[in-house]
Amino acid sequence: MALLKISEPGGRPAAPAHSLAVGIDLGTTNSLVACSCGGSVQILPDHAKHELLPSVVHYREGQAPLVGEQAKAAALVDPGNTIASVKRLLGMSAAEISSMDRVGRYRLDATRDAGAPAILTAAGPKDPVQVSADILGVLVERAEGCLRGKLEGAVVTVPAYFNDAQRQQTRDAARLAGLNVLRLLNEPTAAAVAYGLDSQDQGNVVVFDLGGGTFDVSLLSMQKGVFEVLATGGDTALGGDDFDHVLADWIASRAELDKPLDALSHGALMHYANEVKHSLSSDETVALSYADWSAQLDRQQFADLCKDLITRTLNTCRRVLRDAALTLDAIDNIVLVGGVTRMPIIREAVADFFGKPPLTNIDPDKVVAIGAGIQADVLIGNKSADNFLLLDVNPLSLGIETMGELTEKIIPRNTTVPVTRAQEFTTFKDSQTAMTLHVVQGERELVSDCRSLARFELRGIPPMVAGAAKVRVTFQVDADGLLSVMAEELSTSKTAQIQVKPSYGLNAGSIEQMLKASHEHAESDMELRTLKEAQLEAAQLIDAITTASEVDGKLLEEHDSQRIAAGIARLEEAVAEENSVRIHELTEQLNRISSDFAARRMDLHIGKALRGESIDDAEHPAESSESP
Ligand code: AMP
């Protein structure tokens, strides 16, 4: 993600000073809307002066849905018609929603096809896009009421790890709510913008976001007006709730509560632990009293109890620094996001780790919405002097399948977007007139270990010998992380392209798993890739020599023929034995043995070409579609 000046000659016409644009933090637990008015950014409240809108929707038959606090209250009596944390469902298939919904709270509409999930409610089937749109609709209404005018647009924030499908569904939800999305903005970028870090000349910023249930770390770099994400990392199963659990377990054991606790007692204990945790944010020591047990707990003891959790957050920071190839002393600022970062024990641990205090003076629950509000103001043109375009990174590598079912990465993970990268490929077979392009996402070497995004075909390649055609494959990721892939045969300018409507189902958890798997399998994957490439090279050489012998066998002496046949047999044996070093040696050996034959063929065909005959006259076209 980066701040890049939009270079329009003469600049964009300045919008009237009253253009209405807002920033929206569409959160898992709570959502907020912010607007830059009169030089400062404000969170817009509802009639009851509540700024946070719980991201909960309750559906009722024949009536408008309830959103926010009322929906949260309704969840207690009618959980089946109440949808919370819908952000976690964005981009998921029906099967994935059922598998994560262990309590079976959601009834899914079985009449829909597998890819399009819909939750059955009293108001009919609702998909995650619709539910998100209902939340956004309330924020739009709130903003238009506060600002007394129609909104011209909004900047909506999304987690840095959101994939294309999740980003697209966020956009779809906004459109459904009647919102013009000025752009989607990564949450950590918004947080850094809120602190005005984009106006510095240069510097590196770590955004440490610890919410109720998830933890995200992003490393942003600022260079002369360009602000980009160098790396991201996180833990989907780490948040404020875990600190409550640690405390509850400790109290249960100290107070010698009966185990296991029944559901009611467990709920009461968790509630108490949460209160104690909050108290320890303002008081150094808290007097505990639960059932007939009492004790004192101070911050240091609490920090010791939570040591493992804190270490996990710092280990993630360490990994992100390593991914970005930066050391601790290269970090200039640390921004805290999420309610848990109010805890002094977290602030101290972060300060100790980075060797400098984090920035804390903006409310960590509002910092993302505030940054989005500032950005919306810039994009709508109210801030005429500087128009910035914020860039993000793609969280997983994007590439295509090549022969041997191998992955060729075109845009590596953590590349700043928007980005366009192209690479040339060629045909594998003689007279190959079509090429299948299989777009994949992931870090592994084998296609089967990556995520398949799309397949399309480039047809009408003029028949040529294998390796002669040139096909340029261009990957373009736009500012919202949407991917377009184009393949062009360069001699005829024949093109085929696809806008990846990515399949459902990648979330922070699966990204983490994919990265973990790629680290674990790095060595064996490389070995496998080396072997596959060697086998492929051997197969191509054997294929070429066999075809050439069929066409120009007359150029071969008997003993040459025998040497070549023996060379082929040895190479085929090594291929079957899967020994890549031996395959390399024998491929080179076969190349040497057949080099005279190749030279004689070349002379013959150059002579023919000079006489106006075609090489293709002698060869047999093979109509087939292969990977590049
Ligand atoms: P969020 O999703 O960002 O609202 O984070 C919610 C989490 O932050 C919950 O686990 C809260 O208990 C925790 N939290 C909020 N405020 C405080 C505070 N002052 N001290 C400790 N934890 C807090």
Side-chain angles (χ1 to χ4, degrees), residues 327-350:
T327 51
L328 281 166
D329 53 4
I331 303 305
D332 302 292
N333 284 295
I334 305 106
V335 172
L336 298 185
V337 181
V340 186
T341 64
R342 290 200 185 91
M343 281 163 48
I345 62 168
I346 293 287
R347 292 183 176 189
E348 277 159 30
V350 169

Side-chain angles (χ1 to χ4, degrees), residues 392-422:
D392 301 316
V393 292
N394 72 314
L396 289 171
S397 300
L398 297 165
I400 60 168
E401 175 173 353
T402 56
M403 285 305 297
E405 290 163 21
L406 293 172
T407 317
E408 184 68 29
K409 289 176 187 145
I410 310 272
I411 299 180
R413 130 186 162 75
N414 278 338
T415 303
T416 307
V417 298
V419 63
T420 303
R421 293 266 167 95

Side-chain angles (χ1 to χ4, degrees), residues 193-389:
V193 168
Y195 276 103
L197 299 178
D198 49 302
S199 61
Q200 297 184 346
D201 239 12
Q202 62 173 51
N204 296 316
V205 186
V206 165
V207 180
F208 183 103
D209 179 351
L210 190 52
T214 57
F215 174 54
D216 294 303
V217 185
S218 312
L219 207 171
L220 318 177
S221 158
M222 174 66 165
Q223 293 279 345
K224 293 196 184 85
V226 178
F227 196 21
E228 70 179 294
V229 174
L230 297 182
T232 62
D235 193 331
T236 44
L238 178 60
D241 305 349
D242 296 295
F243 292 80
D244 299 346
H245 278 294
V246 166
L247 214 40
D249 287 349
W250 182 78
I251 294 170
S253 93
R254 285 301 168 100
E256 296 178 355
L257 303 182
D258 292 339
K259 274 198 235 172
L261 293 178
D262 62 54
L264 210 61
S265 315
H266 178 74
L269 179 60
M270 286 299 293
H271 184 75
Y272 182 66
N274 183 267
E275 279 180 355
V276 172
K277 180 182 77 173
H278 282 240
S279 299
L280 280 168
S281 293
S282 44
D283 303 323
E284 189 65 49
T285 306
V286 174
L288 307 181
S289 143
Y290 197 80
D292 50 5
W293 168 83
S294 60
Q296 296 266 329
L297 181 70
D298 66 26
R299 269 190 206 151
Q300 187 51 51
Q301 286 171 291
F302 181 43
D304 291 343
L305 287 175
C306 300
K307 196 160 167 277
D308 287 353
L309 296 175
I310 295 172
T311 305
R312 273 166 66 190
T313 65
L314 301 179
N315 283 344
T316 304
C317 293
R318 209 169 271 127
R319 268 201 302 277
V320 167
L321 280 167
R322 200 180 50 213
D323 270 0
L326 286 184
T327 51
L328 281 166
D329 53 4
I331 303 305
D332 302 292
N333 284 295
I334 305 106
V335 172
L336 298 185
V337 181
V340 186
T341 64
R342 290 200 185 91
M343 281 163 48
I345 62 168
I346 293 287
R347 292 183 176 189
E348 277 159 30
V350 169
D352 282 352
F353 180 79
F354 287 101
K356 52 177 69 80
L359 297 171
T360 54
N361 55 331
I362 302 180
D363 183 334
D365 283 326
K366 299 179 186 165
V367 63
V368 168
I370 288 174
I374 295 173
Q375 188 61 21
D377 198 40
V378 168
L379 288 177
I380 204 76
N382 287 343
K383 205 173 176 182
S384 53
D386 294 306
N387 284 334
F388 290 107
L389 174 66

